[in-house]
Amino acid sequence: MFSVFSTYKKTAYFTAACLLASLVLNLLSRYAEGFAQWYAVHLYPVFPNVLGRISSVWSRSIFEAAVLLILLTVLISLLAGFFFLFRKKPVRIRFFSAGLRFVICASAGLVLVFTLTCAVNYQRDSIGDVLKLPTEAPTAENLKKLTILLVEDLNDLTSSPEWDYGMLAAADVDYIEYQAISAMKLLGEKEPSLAGYYPKPKPVYFSKELSGVGIEGIFFPVTMEANYNNDITPFLLPYVICHEMAHVKGYMKEDDAGFIAFLASRNSPSPVFQYSGLFRALIFSLNALKTETSSEEYNEIFQRLPEPVKSQLRYVAQHYQVRESVFEPVAEKINNLYLKVNAQSGIKSYGRIVDLLIADYADRINGINLL
């Protein structure tokens, strides 16, 4: 295994092969019509089916362990490098030369793995196209209608005789993980691209630190892990876990994963999952509505919500403001750059979920007459 970086010649061959393969795959996915979708349907499923099953053997997050291992390796390497600075020149050259070759090979290998398990899928068909949702351009009027319908759906759910707001405070993560997998498989019965095996979702031990940078979940393509922040409000977990598992199925775009999480949550038999999906959809819709309507119209719709829901919306907003740290703007810029590198429109791509919601509610929206 280590022979690939035993000499500069082998390092150069290995690096060139990895980078060339990555370049070809990325070019094909972006410019060869239909390639990315073919890859997503026929080749990509091997990774969640194999890597996902292997990583599920461990209950702890391998992603988190890998980050800690990398940090430890860097620290040890720095200490070792300082030590070898004072050794004889031949020994010093061998050490730094081997270290450089290893870094080059590891980086090239990770680029190829990322391309195979993630990058190509950024160019696959949108879930809206796969589900053949209406493609009309959304309007401010339809956005208002969507928000009203989401409010009505939340009112219907919470006014049921079986409803109890106490259910939302339950933080039984084992139950939520199990129900999330069940919800995704149930959705997979309707859409084949979401069918099949789902690895076990994993909580991140350093979840409070994730909250500090505004991260709710992380998909780790190297191991096909759906990692989630279990420091967030419990009733948001169903949506978050389904979102990360949508990435596992190859839907890398944030708006696609978010919409799939909404569908899985809404279609789940669990009232908590239904609430989680509708609540997050309402947040997206309300945030968009703020920029498209007057404060009077916005408040008129907001006041239609049950008082507990309004309180939770305020709490969630305040919670993230309190947990915000000086690192969050940096994390946002990194995420923005990451999306643009993969041919996405930066953090604005999160807003396209509203377009998908409007398309999903099209029939009901057309039946509303705003006076």
Side-chain angles (χ1 to χ4, degrees):
M1 175 182 176
F2 295 100
S3 64
V4 293
F5 58 87
S6 59
T7 66
Y8 276 109
K9 186 176 182 179
K10 291 182 179 180
T11 297
Y13 285 152
F14 178 81
T15 301
C18 289
L19 295 182
L20 180 61
S22 299
L23 178 62
V24 170
L25 286 170
N26 275 288
L27 290 175
L28 285 173
S29 68
R30 297 189 188 195
Y31 301 109
E33 185 177 357
F35 174 80
Q37 184 63 16
W38 176 85
Y39 180 90
V41 172
H42 297 286
L43 297 183
Y44 173 77
V46 172
F47 296 106
N49 286 335
V50 176
L51 295 178
R53 291 178 191 277
I54 295 174
S55 65
S56 290
V57 173
W58 291 273
S59 59
R60 297 286 186 179
S61 170
I62 300 176
F63 158 75
E64 193 169 23
V67 171
L68 294 175
L69 181 61
I70 290 172
L71 293 176
L72 180 61
T73 301
V74 170
L75 177 60
I76 293 175
S77 299
L78 290 174
L79 293 174
F82 181 77
F83 171 76
F84 276 97
L85 279 176
F86 301 97
R87 300 300 299 272
K88 293 181 180 180
K89 186 176 180 180
V91 176
R92 186 169 67 245
I93 290 176
R94 283 199 300 272
F95 172 79
F96 286 106
S97 177
L100 178 61
R101 292 196 299 272
F102 174 78
V103 170
I104 292 173
C105 286
S107 299
L110 285 174
V111 169
L112 178 57
V113 170
F114 175 80
T115 299
L116 292 169
T117 60
C118 191
V120 173
N121 282 333
Y122 271 102
Q123 313 308 322
R124 71 177 298 170
D125 292 349
S126 164
I127 188 62
D129 296 329
V130 171
L131 296 177
K132 295 181 173 56
L133 295 177
T135 57
E136 294 84 0
T139 64
E141 181 181 13
N142 284 348
L143 173 60
K144 184 176 180 180
K145 291 179 179 180
L146 168 68
T147 310
I148 291 173
L149 289 170
L150 289 171
V151 169
E152 288 181 358
D153 287 347
L154 269 171
N155 281 330
D156 290 341
L157 177 63
T158 57
S159 62
S160 168
E162 293 80 23
W163 179 255
D164 178 7
Y165 279 101
M167 295 186 296
L168 302 179
D172 185 347
V173 293
D174 290 334
Y175 170 80
I176 293 174
E177 289 175 1
Y178 171 78
Q179 288 295 334
I181 292 175
S182 297
M184 292 298 290
K185 286 185 175 180
L186 187 63
L187 189 60
E189 293 177 4
K190 300 178 180 178
E191 171 44 49
S193 63
L194 297 170
Y197 176 77
Y198 282 91
K200 181 187 182 301
K202 298 181 181 181
V204 174
Y205 180 79
F206 292 99
S207 285
K208 291 186 183 297
E209 285 67 28
L210 288 186
S211 295
V213 292
I215 296 175
E216 293 181 328
I218 299 173
F219 166 62
F220 190 42
V222 176
T223 57
M224 293 288 125
E225 286 180 303
N227 298 273
Y228 65 90
N229 176 350
N230 65 352
D231 181 56
I232 63 176
T233 308
F235 68 81
L236 296 179
L237 284 176
Y239 174 90
V240 169
I241 295 176
C242 289
H243 179 111
E244 299 309 320
M245 290 200 295
H247 287 319
V248 172
K249 282 301 177 182
Y251 287 96
M252 299 302 166
K253 297 176 185 175
E254 292 301 318
D255 52 303
D256 281 346
F259 183 65
I260 290 169
F262 165 75
L263 293 179
S265 300
R266 184 183 63 181
N267 295 339
S268 169
S270 167
V272 176
F273 271 69
Q274 295 171 26
Y275 186 91
S276 184
L278 288 169
F279 187 88
R280 288 307 294 263
L282 183 63
I283 289 177
F284 289 123
S285 184
L286 285 173
N287 287 342
L289 190 66
K290 274 185 179 179
T291 65
E292 297 293 336
T293 190
S294 66
S295 58
E296 291 78 11
E297 286 183 304
Y298 177 88
N299 288 328
E300 189 275 327
I301 295 175
F302 186 83
Q303 293 305 321
R304 299 186 188 189
L305 287 164
E307 192 57 42
V309 179
K310 289 189 285 187
S311 298
Q312 286 168 344
L313 285 168
R314 297 188 188 102
Y315 169 77
V316 169
Q318 292 170 358
H319 178 74
Y320 286 107
Q321 287 175 357
V322 170
R323 301 312 294 266
E324 206 173 65
S325 73
V326 294
F327 299 105
E328 184 162 1
V330 177
E332 185 174 290
K333 289 180 180 178
I334 293 173
N335 186 48
N336 191 33
L337 177 62
Y338 167 79
L339 291 170
K340 287 183 176 179
V341 166
N342 288 286
Q344 307 304 301
S345 57
I347 55 176
K348 290 184 179 180
S349 68
Y350 284 79
R352 283 200 292 256
I353 188 175
V354 177
D355 298 351
L356 290 168
L357 289 167
I358 289 175
D360 180 64
Y361 274 79
D363 291 341
R364 293 176 63 188
I365 284 174
N366 293 334
I368 292 182
N369 184 20
L370 294 179
L371 299 178

